[in-house]
Amino acid sequence: MSDYKAVDYDVVIVGAGFAGLYAIHKMREQAPSIRCFEAGDGVGGVWFWNRYPGIRCDIESMQYSYSFDKDLQNEWDWSEHYAPGGEICAYLNHVADRFNLRRDITFNTRVTAAHFDGEEGLWRVTTDQGETLTTRVFIMATGSLSASQTPDIPGLDDFSGGTYHTAEWPHDGVDFSGRRVAVIGTGSSGIQCIPEIAKEAGQLTVFQRTPNFSIPAQNRSMSDEYRQDWRENYDERRRYAKEECPSAVVREFGPPSAKAVDKAARDAEYHRRWRIGGAEFMSAYRDIPTDLESNATAADFVRERIAEVVNNPETAEMLSPRDYPIGTKRICIDNFYFETYNRSNVRLVDLKKTPIKRIEASGIRTGTELHVLDDIVLATGFDALTGPLTRVDIRGRGNLSLKDKWADGPKSYLGIMVAGFPNMFTVTGPGSPSVLANVVVAIEQHIELIADLLVHKAKTNVDLIEPEPQAESDWGNEVNAVVERTLFSHSPTTWYMGANIPGKPRVILPYAGGFHNYYRICNDIVADGYRGFRFSLATEDRLQDT
Ligand code: NA7
């Protein structure tokens, strides 16, 4: 190992959500000194910031929770199948207390820059509190959906009422009683908050650009029997989720093709799964994600349900997605979303027919009218996957910024490391399954892989880990190749493809080959002596750089 300058910390971690908290816990096994920076004044990550009414995860809580500690797994009682976001945040607070994680976290502090110093083989990290410190290992545990996106609608700042982004919700809540409220956006966040705001508001106007497929959650209280059943079978189910399930969620996978059965049998199966609720519906036939014809059978079924639930046929039609395959935009899981449009105080505006012209002091002006409002809710999403990383001034070897390296789209080995950025790790970064998997499973797998890499580094007495450029480029080709075997390219305007951010390159951001395959690939790479990763002494590097 090189005899280089002492650093302030062995490991610096950015973010104290699911990823950052587990990273602190896991890194303590080998790193004596850790510092974690968190922009919020509490732990929880997305569950800390996204406090809009109706927020829930779209994966059941027994699965959307850590598996790394059996006692933790068995002692936390979820109240509902899909627990409210506040309960998920409470769980993460419990985890922080239980493992005494707060002592390593500095709250209310945003990391603004991290620059690699090739001479010293360290990272120099700067915060918005004016602090600069050095570390050997730099872990971006900043999540995939943490950089919120405010649309560039003319006049937004002129609005005289309240403006709220779902991803930056006031922690004391917002009282919409009797008010005239607009929600812009009908992705998961819009679909979750619209039914709740409708109950309170005097009048709710939903501004929809693209309708979404949504499946009822059929959410309910969690019974002791259900909980117990999971606890007794956790080991096997967790294994199955990782090794055999494309989204790392335990599901009942149906037969290979929707085309192999007649409509009556197919619809009976779709109905059965509709009653179970949630994304279970999407696993009815294995070729729904890959075959257009099979996919259309599931899409037709959902459109029929929308027409059945929504009283006004014109509104039902507006709410029915017609121009992309089901599942290629993130499937939404709702609680009485479509039913909400039967309320007399709710109105839907189709922005494809009447786009927003501008926002004025008193409301939103479309081509045809002025909608007078007291409040505007922006449920307009995120600069997904890359945003949380490129919004920080990260510079690797030769002062190359990550933003510049990724100008034509993210380049990364396995979504966890970037060539030219030694000892920097991106937890569930672009090029890994991330948002296409149960992200808690994906996070645990990444943190454990990082820990393995660091143990190997220590054992072999070297300083730096970094992907081979060839391995990174081969992985990029693989990420682009697997997406061609899915229907994602039939839906090019999604945030999975970067299309929701003006100027962002249109490339698939997550690895779409299935978590189970990704997990096997990572394990094979480890078994093969960390194939594709380069381990080196900082001194060797210095010579190479000169
Ligand atoms: P999403 O899924 O990106 O949804 C954002 C919504 O906002 C979507 O309906 C967009 O329409 C709409 N949008 C965005 N910009 C505009 C403008 N300028 N005008 C009108 N409508 C606009 O974000 P969410 O927060 O709902 O969900 C993100 C993920 O978080 C979710 O999948 C879960 O994993 C958790 P578009 O579809 O682009 O036409």
Side-chain angles (χ1 to χ4, degrees), residues 368-399:
T368 49
E369 66 184 291
L370 173 68
H371 300 263
V372 178
L373 298 162
D374 298 311
D375 299 300
I376 298 176
V377 173
L378 298 170
T380 46
F382 301 88
D383 183 354
L385 280 89
T386 51
L389 301 166
T390 54
R391 288 185 185 186
V392 178
D393 174 22
I394 296 175
R395 288 166 192 267
R397 287 186 194 286
N399 206 33

Side-chain angles (χ1 to χ4, degrees), residues 50 52 56 58 145 149-153 165-167 184-192 207-212 329-332 351-352 356 378-382 435 493-496 499-500:
N50 288 252
Y52 58 82
R56 283 187 160 74
D58 50 13
L145 297 164
Q149 174 66 5
T150 296
D152 190 14
I153 303 175
H165 195 294
T166 45
I184 302 179
T186 51
S188 297
S189 304
I191 281 178
Q192 288 184 342
F207 292 83
Q208 170 190 274
R209 193 162 65 181
T210 312
N212 257 299
K329 252 173 128 65
R330 192 181 180 90
I331 193 84
C332 298
L351 295 179
K352 290 240 163 89
I356 296 176
L378 298 170
T380 46
F382 301 88
V435 288
T493 63
T494 67
W495 56 262
Y496 289 146
N500 64 327

Side-chain angles (χ1 to χ4, degrees), residues 32-292:
S33 70
I34 295 167
R35 182 102 177 258
C36 171
F37 291 103
E38 166 54 53
D41 66 5
V43 302
V46 291
W47 304 104
F48 174 88
W49 296 104
N50 288 252
R51 300 201 186 195
Y52 58 82
I55 181 165
R56 283 187 160 74
C57 184
D58 50 13
I59 295 171
E60 282 206 33
S61 301
M62 290 307 283
Q63 303 202 54
Y64 189 81
S65 46
Y66 290 121
S67 67
F68 71 82
D69 186 280
K70 287 208 166 55
D71 292 337
L72 169 68
Q73 193 167 252
N74 289 329
E75 76 200 7
W76 182 267
D77 286 346
W78 295 105
S79 64
E80 298 173 15
H81 283 244
Y82 296 90
E87 193 171 316
I88 301 173
C89 199
Y91 166 76
L92 289 169
N93 274 278
H94 169 73
V95 170
D97 293 335
R98 193 185 189 288
F99 297 100
N100 193 15
L101 303 178
R102 287 178 213 276
R103 69 166 204 253
D104 290 328
I105 307 174
T106 304
F107 292 101
N108 297 310
T109 306
R110 191 175 282 280
V111 166
T112 52
H115 295 176
F116 180 68
D117 178 336
E119 274 297 301
E120 300 295 342
L122 53 77
W123 282 89
R124 201 161 271 113
V125 177
T126 307
T127 75
D128 65 355
Q129 300 301 308
E131 193 181 357
T132 295
L133 49 94
T134 54
T135 178
R136 292 274 173 246
V137 173
F138 179 58
I139 301 180
M140 285 295 280
T142 37
S144 306
L145 297 164
S146 55
S148 66
Q149 174 66 5
T150 296
D152 190 14
I153 303 175
L156 184 57
D157 292 340
D158 299 340
F159 183 58
S160 61
T163 307
Y164 310 96
H165 195 294
T166 45
E168 290 153 22
W169 204 258
H171 283 191
D172 298 334
V174 182
D175 183 4
F176 291 118
S177 313
R179 291 170 74 84
R180 294 161 298 184
V181 183
V183 174
I184 302 179
T186 51
S188 297
S189 304
I191 281 178
Q192 288 184 342
C193 71
I194 285 164
E196 298 305 314
I197 295 175
K199 288 181 202 161
E200 209 178 292
Q203 190 192 309
L204 172 65
T205 310
V206 176
F207 292 83
Q208 170 190 274
R209 193 162 65 181
T210 312
N212 257 299
F213 289 100
S214 188
I215 316 287
Q218 313 289 13
N219 193 24
R220 55 205 180 277
S221 302
M222 194 177 287
S223 68
D224 290 341
E225 294 71 38
Y226 184 86
R227 216 179 272 125
Q228 197 48 34
D229 177 60
W230 264 92
R231 284 178 180 160
E232 282 165 14
N233 294 288
Y234 248 140
D235 284 353
E236 170 50 19
R237 289 183 191 168
R238 297 282 203 189
R239 182 208 64 75
Y240 175 70
K242 278 200 290 200
E243 294 180 7
E244 298 186 44
C245 300
S247 55
V249 178
V250 175
R251 295 241 165 87
E252 182 196 339
F253 295 100
S257 179
K259 292 187 290 191
V261 286
D262 64 22
K263 180 164 170 25
R266 214 166 38 220
D267 280 2
E269 179 58 8
Y270 286 146
H271 270 296
R272 185 181 75 80
R273 288 177 181 258
W274 194 261
R275 284 191 297 272
I276 294 170
E280 195 70 43
F281 176 84
M282 296 298 288
S283 309
Y285 300 98
R286 289 176 192 240
D287 61 352
I288 292 175
T290 54
D291 184 284
L292 267 181

Side-chain angles (χ1 to χ4, degrees), residues 381-418:
F382 301 88
D383 183 354
L385 280 89
T386 51
L389 301 166
T390 54
R391 288 185 185 186
V392 178
D393 174 22
I394 296 175
R395 288 166 192 267
R397 287 186 194 286
N399 206 33
L400 177 67
S401 80
L402 189 65
K403 206 170 167 187
D404 286 346
K405 168 149 183 164
W406 286 2
D408 300 327
K411 295 175 185 64
S412 162
Y413 187 39
L414 301 171
I416 201 170
M417 288 201 93
V418 182

Side-chain angles (χ1 to χ4, degrees), residues 408 410 431 473-486 489 497 506-512:
D408 300 327
S473 125
D474 291 348
W475 182 250
N477 293 339
E478 176 66 8
V479 171
N480 291 329
V482 292
V483 77
E484 292 307 323
R485 302 199 279 273
T486 70
S489 50
M497 295 282 190
R506 302 275 178 108
V507 293
I508 184 74
L509 295 170
Y511 169 78

